[in-house]
Amino acid sequence: MPRLPETTESPNRPRPRPSTDSGPDSGTRTHARRASLVLAGTLLALVLAVVASVMFGVRVIGVTDALASLQGHADTAAQAAAYVRVPRTILAVLVGASLAVAGTVFQGVTRNPLADPGIFGVLAGASLAVVTGITFFGLARPFSTMAVAIVGSFLAATFVYAVGSLGRGGATPLKLALAGAATAAAISSLVSAIVLPRADVMDTFRFWQIGSVGGAQWPHLAAAAPLLLLGAGIAAYCAHGLNALALGDSLASGLGFHAARTRLLATIGAVILCGCATALAGPIAFIGLIVPHLMRVLVGTDHRVLLPACALGGAVVLTVADTVGRLIARPEELAVGILMPFLGAPLFIWIIRRTKIRELA
């Protein structure tokens, strides 16, 4: 009688248990750990950027005096000098976070990787509204200026989307980008036509139109805080809807989301953030374009994580850019509105190459 082949494994030997680190759940946990590490690292980078912004400028201040000024102390000359930089630093954090979140929302709403408040003409619309209001209506109060900027941003966004939707195929990413670029150029020319004949307005807004956080004032920050919180809250509320919109309007409706309502509400939140940021610091481009792309590579496409990551990343980028602008041109300073294009333009070219522009048409 033939013998059965012997097994290489003893029946009494305990079989190895299946690894708990395999399967789809382990991938989800790994991604969650990575996102948590990125958020923690970006938050630490923001803390360091804030301290560096208070320390460095025309006069270099020690770490002890910088930390004391952040706590509200101004007992020595160094602490007093650092205390003056605190509102500027806070403004850089708020504006950078607002523009980055707004850019993320615009990219999610339009499903367009090239969407950006500057490219879509939203910043230019806010600038035109502010310049028009101050030139012809004498607006001077911070809250009224921000309200006018929000209205201008919304009108510009609506106009660009309407123009980009014309023709066959509707609002394709390439058509929206071209419509936004043309609208921004036309609005910039109109702003120049309004400002140039008025010497008083030209002197007042020449520095503001470049884009800078150097004119930060506590009353302006206090007036902007409720509006910025409102815009950020609306964007956070729409995070689930933005995830659904990424699947397409039909699938989003099947998941229980009203695509048009979600798109409108998210756009309102982004417009509020853009309008307030532009009223506070002037039109600063590329933050809303480059930060979402960089953070999307690090934390993924889930807007529940992407939005706070972009807020932290935008705050870091603008705060660091403002600090660098003060260091490379001492004793003068280089405004962030001038410095950001040097960083944003190469990354913009990389984004276009990465998204294969031919497939966007």
Side-chain angles (χ1 to χ4, degrees), residues 10-263:
S10 173
N12 297 326
R13 180 180 301 174
R15 295 182 178 180
R17 296 180 180 180
S19 175
T20 58
D21 293 334
S22 62
D25 291 340
S26 64
T28 303
R29 288 194 296 269
T30 301
H31 180 74
R33 286 196 295 267
R34 178 182 178 182
S36 300
L37 289 175
V38 171
L39 289 174
T42 311
L43 180 59
L44 177 60
L46 178 59
V47 173
L48 296 177
V50 167
V51 174
S53 177
V54 177
M55 287 178 57
F56 298 108
V58 176
R59 175 178 181 178
V60 179
I61 297 169
V63 177
T64 304
D65 291 326
L67 294 176
S69 66
L70 289 174
Q71 298 174 0
H73 299 290
D75 301 329
T76 65
Q79 292 179 6
Y83 185 76
V84 175
R85 298 176 187 168
V86 172
R88 176 176 187 153
T89 302
I90 294 176
L91 179 59
V93 170
L94 293 178
V95 171
S98 300
L99 293 178
V101 170
T104 307
V105 171
F106 279 127
Q107 291 174 11
V109 164
T110 61
R111 296 196 296 270
N112 182 354
L114 303 180
D116 168 73
I119 294 175
F120 268 23
V122 177
L123 298 183
S127 301
L128 176 61
V130 171
V131 170
T132 302
I134 294 178
T135 303
F136 299 107
F137 301 100
L139 295 180
R141 300 178 64 85
F143 191 84
S144 60
T145 303
M146 293 175 197
V148 169
I150 291 172
V151 173
S153 299
F154 185 79
L155 293 177
T158 303
F159 178 79
V160 169
Y161 191 82
V163 173
S165 301
L166 297 176
R168 190 172 60 182
T172 63
L174 181 59
K175 287 165 64 178
L176 287 174
L178 293 176
T183 302
I187 291 177
S188 299
S189 300
L190 188 56
V191 168
S192 300
I194 294 174
V195 171
L196 287 176
R198 301 286 298 271
D200 53 340
V201 178
M202 183 65 181
D203 292 338
T204 303
F205 289 98
R206 180 173 51 190
F207 184 72
W208 175 83
Q209 287 175 343
I210 294 174
S212 173
V213 296
Q217 299 180 21
W218 287 114
H220 295 175
L221 294 176
L227 293 174
L228 293 176
L229 287 176
L230 176 62
I234 294 174
Y237 175 78
C238 296
H240 286 283
L242 292 173
N243 288 340
L245 287 179
L247 303 175
D249 290 1
S250 300
L251 288 178
S253 300
L255 294 173
F257 293 94
H258 193 285
R261 187 184 306 153
T262 301
R263 187 173 283 111

